[in-house]
Amino acid sequence: MYRTHTCGELRQQHVGVAVTLAGWVQTVRKFGSITFVDLRDRYGITQLLFGEELNRQLTEDPPGREFVLQVIGTVTERTNKNPNIPTGDIEIKVDSFKTLNRSVTPPFTIQDDTDGGDDLRMKYRYLDLRRNAVKKNLELRYAVGRAARNYLHEQQFMDIETPFLIKSTPEGARDFVVPSRMNQGQFYALPQSPQTFKQLLMVSGYDRYYQIVKCFRDEDLRADRQPEFTQIDCEMSFVEQEDILNMFEGMIKHIFKAVKNIDYTEKVERMTWEQAMWNYGNDKPDIRFGMKLLNLKSAFTRSERINSQLEAVLDEGNASLISGAGFGVFDNAETVLAIAVPGCSEYTRKQTDELTEWVKRPQIGMQGLVFIKYNTDGSLKSSVDKFYNEEKLKAIATAAGAVPGDLILILAGREERTRKAISELRLEMGRRLGLRKDNEFKLLWVLDFPLFEYAEEENRWVARHHPFTSPKPSDISVMINNSPVIENPEKYLEHPYSNIKANAYDMVLNGNEIGGGSIRIFQRELQEKMFAALGMSQEEALHKFGFLLGAFEYGAPPHGGIAFGFDRLCAILGGSESIRDFIAFPKNNSGRDVMLDAPSAIDDQQLEELSIALKVESR
Amino acid sequence: MYRTHTCGELRQQHVGVAVTLAGWVQTVRKFGSITFVDLRDRYGITQLLFGEELNRQLTEDPPGREFVLQVIGTVTERTNKNPNIPTGDIEIKVDSFKTLNRSVTPPFTIQDDTDGGDDLRMKYRYLDLRRNAVKKNLELRYAVGRAARNYLHEQQFMDIETPFLIKSTPEGARDFVVPSRMNQGQFYALPQSPQTFKQLLMVSGYDRYYQIVKCFRDEDLRADRQPEFTQIDCEMSFVEQEDILNMFEGMIKHIFKAVKNIDYTEKVERMTWEQAMWNYGNDKPDIRFGMKLLNLKSAFTRSERINSQLEAVLDEGNASLISGAGFGVFDNAETVLAIAVPGCSEYTRKQTDELTEWVKRPQIGMQGLVFIKYNTDGSLKSSVDKFYNEEKLKAIATAAGAVPGDLILILAGREERTRKAISELRLEMGRRLGLRKDNEFKLLWVLDFPLFEYAEEENRWVARHHPFTSPKPSDISVMINNSPVIENPEKYLEHPYSNIKANAYDMVLNGNEIGGGSIRIFQRELQEKMFAALGMSQEEALHKFGFLLGAFEYGAPPHGGIAFGFDRLCAILGGSESIRDFIAFPKNNSGRDVMLDAPSAIDDQQLEELSIALKVESR
């Protein structure tokens, strides 16, 4: 070993001990004939004191920033203690030192507040990883992974590795493919998830499976998506939805305790997908704050069945709050939604103008914003004063849950866009008001998702979650007894399939989906019906998923599972919105590793061996 | 939950408890009006007793092999206890049952001794995985992984994920490549190991890294190789070879204790690569038994330097034991090697003939076998009696370490082939004599490997381990001060590079390499010299490994590491020679997953999006 101790472990009690340390030079400070060096390693920082007798060597071989030093010396008590670091009581009186390696000047400072831009830090990722802020993220990631493993082990889950070179069965996202040299003209695919393998493991009787595993999706990368990402992937046999919810809120609570020392003792809240959409405009609501939507008018309830299932049924009275006033914007809109923003009644014209501009941005895409100020003196003032008198404004404000001092914001337009916009506006106002605290964690289960989504271009159903998700038991007969064919695309919402609910659940943390899963189909007939519902021919289903259909014939148990987005979970626990900060070697938004310069051209010989040809010039 | 208890947990103390179980039907036995069913799950087997009152339902809905049942009943004490299973004291008096799923007849029996052939079991892997033998293997694998993680965690290693979509830098094995859609004409590669990333993490100051990680090599598959395999991959900073050896024999001993309850307290044996080759003909000797080689004549010592470093220097006396007798086979051979097989002097003619045939097989490739019987009465008999009198035979036998009762086997021929052949013969005789016991474990470090190997076709040096391995400190100057160019291919052994030793080590368990690693180069200049030594131009080195050379400029610490073959380690601990039995979903020798039928053709649209074309017809 090049050291007897790390740079983080020496304390008052070690005074007088002869030690050898090795690490990186964080700073060099000269005071007259004495030189102080802060030596850094993963475990901490220790101050080194070089006396006058070492000045000659220091002059000949001067240690610079990020040099690697080995020093031999004695632990001594500091006269000027530093209470901010654990080793602050001591320093090392250096007897001799050796430069193990030099460093050229780093392209940015290795500090919490670095002067490096994103691109530079990605290119020199090995230097960015030295920064304390990044190191803390990776330490947190390791702690989260370990806590998850420990919990799952206690619960008798087994870590079982599933293959990475599998079969391409594109349904949903695009596969990354790998040409096979030994089977020319054929390709493996990289897994988008181990979904079918974990189901096979249940058929094989493994009962409880987990894996922290890389998955791959070749999608156009939106901000903060990575082509390779990590899942905590789990599956259980002989369970119903309730068992899964309990098991995995247990896991997340265990992680909270182990990693953040948070006792999350309350029951995790639950709401249906419809409640989430109705009250928050979003299937992953941030429930750290209220500001629920007032549905003044909505197309969400076009389907009678949805309407009847909603607890908060659209009260026709709400519509009457705005109708008949001659305000065309509301009268002609498909949907009108409002939120009451607490304590903002005194927003200036400038502020409300800025909010209006905000909702008009292309990302939000609304035409305008209506506001009502519910002043602290009880009076009301609005941008639509000429259509609504104070009494009417008060009725709207009250329906929105406002009290004096609040600002009511109202959006109107097409159902989908308006609901999405008010949801974004709610989150933005929550952010501005400091209601979305990094150190506050609120979990939520969203349940009862629709099983299908309508794909307009193809006029067919696609699986909202994936094709292995079971319908709610009560909806199975609806699926079996009806044809998936959509005769009238205009009226797809009236097709019985549009109302089938899935036995699926998402776990939401602070407005982010951190996990999602479902109870699976485990009968061959129902699985075949599902493939058919998605427009797959029997031949295609057999070609792609014959192994799974086959497996279901040999005693498949009822089973279900969940997968957590490990990168995202770590980011949120670390108080960040960006997963990239929690991945050791992330790719940029073009899917490139700029440090490696990958992907890159490969040799002609490699192409030759694979019997493939490029149809474009490679760089 | 579909159950209150598993099929493995009920005991005498539960008698009288009302329970619900769910699992698979292992057997159905009718005794008169009573039916017994053995119900199986991951945790065990519980006997169910169906009384007469259930006969009607049993007739209508008869449970068959591998059906999935849910039963409600009461735990009762068995009159006829089964001491062979943990639940053997009790059975369940069934009150009601439900068939959760049916099974068609499996293509082979789900038993330890299955009647299924390899191909059938691979195709129906999900059924093979149900067999107890396979399940035990995967449980062992999980236990080994968990023990490794726990040990490494205690030693302050951090699990850090490295990327799977990296850059193709073929040097050694062939890369699997992944065409990029977003960067057309360019390819990612799948990692053959996370080698450069773990080194970057050391440069980044992470100090101790580990990962249990999939790696990929597109090689022609010899028996028992897989295109994707798993490594326990580790790296440490500020260490010398001795630190790594201690740390990782600690890990393996921890695994022995945790998984097999073996206290491996003795110090792990060590030998140099040369000692291993000299004494066992092999760089991964099985030291559970002796039968060391007698080097009667050897070309291994052509290089003076090797000779001087060997403890067991070729005694010229050994050569005189066989020379001058007029036996052309020995006289003309480059190498003559012998082993003394204990207790086999009474082998019959048929048996020695069979051994002769064995060494003549193409896999061994020798011309013949010379034997000397050292009879228990002290007399000697040989197949070369006419060249060697009894006194001379006795001298050879004694030099080989034989005692009366032993059989001496001698092979002669070209150095490399003969050494390999005698090594195989030694292992074969050890196996036949029962000296290679599944439940005996002998660890060994093999040290001081050559840094380079000579590649005849290209007349250049290749890295024996990989290009990041450091030479022994004393050999660094030899490398720096000599040109890698081999002027005279015939005399490559006289080139200074042929004698450079690596700071590399392999861990061997029972004759299998289970891990290998090295102290790494951490200086840019030496790394550049290494790339040059391997015939890489400066431009090529920069293109492939510029990121690593760059990183070495910013204060790279001394570091080293090791990687264990996780699949192989598990197989050996499980007493098997085949890694396939320890992988949930293995591929066959053509790299195919016959269950999935992968690799397979992909859609034209997928090819189109990737801008690649096939130069062969896909199936």
Side-chain angles (χ1 to χ4, degrees), chain A residues 126 130 161 188 230 243 554 591, chain B residues 1 130 161 188 230 554 591:
Chain A
Y126 45 85
R130 278 190 193 163
E161 289 170 66
Y188 300 100
T230 306
D243 305 309
Y554 294 96
Chain B
M1 284 294 272
R130 278 190 193 165
E161 289 170 67
Y188 300 100
T230 306
Y554 293 96

Side-chain angles (χ1 to χ4, degrees), chain A residues 16 102 141 198 213 321 492 566 605 614:
Chain A
R102 289 164 204 284
R141 185 180 176 109
K198 66 177 178 175
V213 63
L321 289 173
Y492 76 90
F566 187 47
Q605 193 199 334
L614 299 184

